[in-house]
Amino acid sequence: VLTNIPVGTNPWGVAYDSVKGEVFVSNSGGNTVSVRSDTSNSVVANVTVGSNPVGLSYDLALGEIFVSNVGSNEVSVISDTNNTVLTTIQVGDYTVATVYDATKGEVFVSNANDNTLSVISDTSNAIVKTVTMPATAYPYGLAYDSGLNEIFVANHADNTVSAVSDSTNAVVETVTVGTTPEFLAYDSAKNEIFVSNSANKSVSVISDSAITSTSPSPTESVSPTSTESTSPSPTVPEFSSATLIFALIAIVTFCAVALTVKKSARNLL
């Protein structure tokens, strides 16, 4: 840890502005976004936004920050030129996260209570599409896959992740992950999506080429395979106590007869 920087109340999300060399931090408890310089590691501005700001995403093309305000169901758009709010866009109910699609110039916003995604054009700052998610999804965290031009959505309530095509704005695949998935991150080098599963303390890794989770399911054992032989042990016959007594009597009788025969043979000689 190089340093600790005081910001606002209940800091939640962060987004990095690579052009200005600044970090934007949403302060959910203070309804502000703090702007920190990565040169001086100090706060250079505080921007007032909507109620309970949480998710942030940086629009490289326009130099803007999109902020999801979960308490007021809106998205604030901040200019990184003067650190002021340019506009506010009303979206769905309980807007949790935002993610920027550089290919389409659009911002996707998850509306958890509505089970929808709002698609915002960064040119018009208007909603151009609403994506309907599965009824039990409760969409939460988002990540943009630049390799496939898809948005990956953590479905908090049904333990899945859905892939949404930015061409059709429709769900193209859904995979099962761990329990209560929340946040996602895209690895552009390996084309993989990392998913945090808060309830079972795990991370699922999804290959975007196969759209198949490589994380074991919660019920799947990950113990090493045993190298011991699995052939059954030889069985030992069991005898009752009565059988053993009869066998003992037979042996004693045989010995007595043999002794009698031996004495008779000796008398004959």
Side-chain angles (χ1 to χ4, degrees), residues 48-137:
T48 300
V49 291
S51 176
N52 302 120
V54 285
L56 300 167
S57 59
Y58 171 60
D59 181 335
L60 174 63
L62 296 182
E64 296 175 348
I65 309 297
F66 286 74
V67 186
S68 61
N69 303 304
V70 71
S72 51
N73 301 326
E74 61 190 12
V75 171
S76 299
V77 184
I78 300 173
S79 168
D80 71 355
T81 302
N82 53 21
N83 292 323
T84 59
V85 175
L86 299 175
T87 188
T88 299
I89 307 160
Q90 201 69 33
V91 287
D93 187 12
Y94 206 80
T95 171
V96 180
T98 67
V99 68
Y100 174 61
D101 180 339
T103 302
K104 297 292 292 289
E106 295 175 340
V107 175
F108 285 71
V109 184
S110 59
N111 307 306
N113 285 343
D114 286 346
N115 287 316
T116 63
L117 306 180
S118 297
V119 186
I120 300 172
S121 166
D122 69 354
T123 304
S124 63
N125 286 325
I127 295 175
V128 295
K129 180 71 176 179
T130 299
V131 181
T132 301
M133 301 299 293
T136 58

Side-chain angles (χ1 to χ4, degrees), residues 39-56:
T39 303
S40 63
N41 282 328
S42 61
V43 174
V44 296
N46 284 295
V47 185
T48 300
V49 291
S51 176
N52 302 120
V54 285
L56 300 167

Side-chain angles (χ1 to χ4, degrees), residues 158-161 174-178 204 206 211-218:
D158 67 4
N159 306 327
T160 64
V161 168
T174 298
V175 297
T176 300
V177 290
S204 297
I206 302 172
I211 314 295
T212 303
S213 174
T214 59
S215 169
S217 65

Side-chain angles (χ1 to χ4, degrees), residues 194-218:
F194 289 76
V195 186
S196 63
N197 307 304
S198 63
N200 65 349
K201 302 175 182 178
S202 69
V203 172
S204 297
V205 184
I206 302 172
S207 168
D208 72 355
S209 58
I211 314 295
T212 303
S213 174
T214 59
S215 169
S217 65

Side-chain angles (χ1 to χ4, degrees), residues 24-27 31-35 45-49 53 56 67 78:
F24 288 71
V25 182
S26 61
N27 304 306
N31 303 331
T32 61
V33 171
S34 297
V35 186
N46 284 295
V47 185
T48 300
V49 291
L56 300 167
V67 186
I78 300 173

